[in-house]
Amino acid sequence: MTKKEFISNLKIDLFSKGVRISAEDKGRKGGAGPAGSKNIIFGNTVANVPTFAKFVADSPYSLDNNVLKKFNKKIIDVKIPNPQFYKLKTKDGIPYNKIALLHGEDCLATTVVQHCIYWDTPLRCKFCGIDLSKGSTLDIKKPEEIAEVAEAAKRLDNVKHVTLTIGALKEEDEIKILGNCASAIKNAAKIPVHVQFEPLKDLKRMENLYSKGVDTVGIHIESFDKKVLENIAPAKAKIGFDRYLKALEYAVNIFGENQVSSFIIIGLGESDESVIEGCKTLSGMGVYPFVVPINPIPGSYMEDAIPPSFERMKDIYESVASILKENLSWKKSKAGCVKCRACSALDVFE
Ligand code: SF4
């Protein structure tokens, strides 16, 4: 096996099985995005690996003093980021790590508003944990607070880009908040910014984001399997594929090919065909299909889900990598999840 194959296989196997780790080192338990997991840097990649979910107890992998072991035998040295900016506070005494966190190796990420209008309704996405980390972070982060943290994270930890996500709100509010945060970050830290939002009814609002300095955007379909979407993410099913595709197309016209992405989650009950066909569609539009295995967030409706097997993910990543349009690559993305790549193994299969 080549070193490249070893690293690729290891990344998907870690996503699939998780890593056993001492309680105090497990990472954060709830929240949007990669909660219940820990960032591990190894080889030429970084992986956001499940540490909290129940299935992790059966994992052959364990982490001990920056040594990754399988069945108690060392397999590779890893790096665990130790961000210096976490030690700082704002002048009002708010710890920086309640405002934003290091994701992956060099990405600052935050959920700007820790609330979603669907949370207390039957339309809530079953995989989501956005309201669960309330209390451990600020519910609403101000643009100037995120900008202050971004400047420090760049200076102290070599952070190179920022990911901003937000729960679903009224469309005009969502875009205004994201735009204001992006422009504050650009002024203070001068690093690329990625924002994530639902397909807009008024697509022109994306121009506003662009004018505020946003570099890349994510509009997340999550699944191309209609039945699965209806069951797992009914609010998204209601929006419908057409509106997603129109919004993605519009976004590519503004932000450019490879600067627009969409999460595709594997392990929700979808068929492999729906994944491959969906990725073909996205790739053909110049949209990067950010294929991720489900990472069950403790406290979410899917906390007991089991991630897809190593074999399935390997087949899917190989197929998606082979259909990626030539000019689509994580290396060309300016900011966000595609550039961070901690939650997907597509980077090591490109
Ligand atoms: S890929 Fe996105 S969600 Fe995952 S760790 Fe990186 S920035 Fe966070």
Side-chain angles (χ1 to χ4, degrees):
M1 192 190 299
T2 64
K3 179 138 190 248
K4 185 178 183 314
E5 279 168 336
F6 171 73
I7 296 295
S8 310
N9 289 349
L10 179 58
K11 188 166 181 177
I12 44 179
D13 211 26
L14 288 171
F15 284 154
S16 177
K17 300 184 172 77
V19 175
R20 288 179 289 110
I21 198 166
S22 65
E24 65 274 17
D25 289 334
K26 278 185 177 179
R28 75 193 172 107
K29 195 172 174 189
S37 51
K38 183 134 191 118
N39 274 305
I40 299 177
I41 301 166
F42 56 91
N44 58 349
T45 193
V46 55
N48 177 56
V49 177
T51 52
F52 270 103
K54 288 182 195 156
F55 70 88
V56 176
D58 298 326
S59 174
Y61 295 102
S62 59
L63 193 61
D64 187 7
N65 280 329
N66 288 17
V67 173
L68 184 66
K69 296 178 179 174
K70 187 171 187 184
F71 297 116
N72 281 329
K73 275 178 72 181
K74 173 178 174 172
I75 52 167
I76 194 168
D77 288 313
V78 302
K79 276 197 270 172
I80 310 288
N82 179 23
Q84 296 306 300
F85 76 88
Y86 284 11
K87 296 176 184 157
L88 302 181
K89 290 180 180 175
T90 65
K91 61 179 182 338
D92 299 327
I94 304 165
Y96 278 11
N97 61 359
K98 286 201 169 213
I99 297 169
L101 295 171
L102 182 75
H103 280 203
E105 205 173 3
D106 57 11
C107 178
L108 184 75
T110 186
T111 303
V112 182
V113 178
Q114 204 87 30
H115 178 63
C116 171
I117 50 171
Y118 302 122
W119 186 258
D120 290 318
T121 79
L123 294 179
R124 180 204 300 187
C125 295
K126 293 198 168 78
F127 49 76
C128 185
I130 191 162
D131 270 47
L132 297 173
S133 56
K134 275 187 172 162
S136 63
T137 68
L138 284 187
D139 291 355
I140 299 174
K141 289 93 174 176
K142 295 185 190 136
E144 59 273 21
E145 290 168 343
I146 304 172
E148 182 179 330
V149 177
E151 187 283 320
K154 177 188 173 190
R155 182 166 35 84
L156 299 174
D157 295 288
N158 207 17
V159 155
K160 296 196 173 73
H161 58 123
V162 180
T163 294
L164 300 177
T165 191
I166 193 165
L169 305 174
K170 256 167 72 189
E171 174 173 311
E172 55 270 40
D173 296 342
E174 216 177 292
I175 297 303
K176 192 171 167 204
I177 294 168
L178 290 170
N180 289 344
C181 291
S183 108
I185 294 164
K186 294 303 276 264
N187 283 335
K190 299 181 178 51
I191 48 178
V193 177
H194 169 79
V195 301
Q196 304 177 345
F197 48 87
E198 286 301 286
L200 304 174
K201 287 194 186 107
D202 181 358
L203 294 173
K204 290 202 183 71
R205 293 188 207 274
M206 279 193 241
E207 274 138 40
N208 178 271
L209 288 176
Y210 184 75
S211 72
K212 296 272 190 173
V214 168
D215 296 274
T216 73
V217 299
I219 303 169
H220 300 161
I221 291 184
E222 322 286 1
S223 179
F224 275 97
D225 191 315
K226 198 163 175 270
K227 285 232 153 53
V228 165
L229 209 61
E230 279 164 1
N231 176 28
I232 304 284
K236 287 173 178 270
K238 243 176 120 184
I239 290 171
F241 293 131
D242 270 7
R243 247 181 74 197
Y244 274 95
L245 295 177
K246 274 195 189 110
L248 288 163
E249 189 182 26
Y250 198 92
V252 172
N253 283 333
I254 295 176
F255 298 94
E257 286 203 345
N258 209 108
Q259 309 308 336
V260 178
S261 54
S262 193
F263 268 59
I264 308 294
I265 304 177
I266 315 298
L268 304 176
E270 69 292 318
S271 68
D272 288 5
E273 293 70 32
S274 76
V275 175
I276 305 305
E277 283 310 307
C279 289
K280 267 188 200 159
T281 304
L282 295 179
S283 171
M285 296 165 64
V287 174
Y288 192 97
F290 197 67
V291 177
V292 301
I294 175 91
N295 177 9
I297 297 174
S300 70
Y301 289 146
M302 292 195 72
E303 66 175 353
D304 291 332
I306 306 284
S309 69
F310 168 86
E311 290 77 14
R312 182 171 179 219
M313 287 313 295
K314 188 164 181 172
D315 282 352
I316 288 176
Y317 277 127
E318 282 173 351
S319 304
V320 175
S322 73
I323 57 172
L324 270 192
K325 218 173 154 187
E326 224 169 66
N327 56 350
L328 291 182
S329 167
W330 73 271
K331 291 180 186 151
K332 293 184 190 166
S333 170
K334 294 182 202 160
C337 293
V338 177
K339 183 176 170 73
C340 166
R341 71 211 160 103
C343 293
S344 169
L346 191 51
D347 66 317
V348 285
F349 284 86
E350 277 183 7

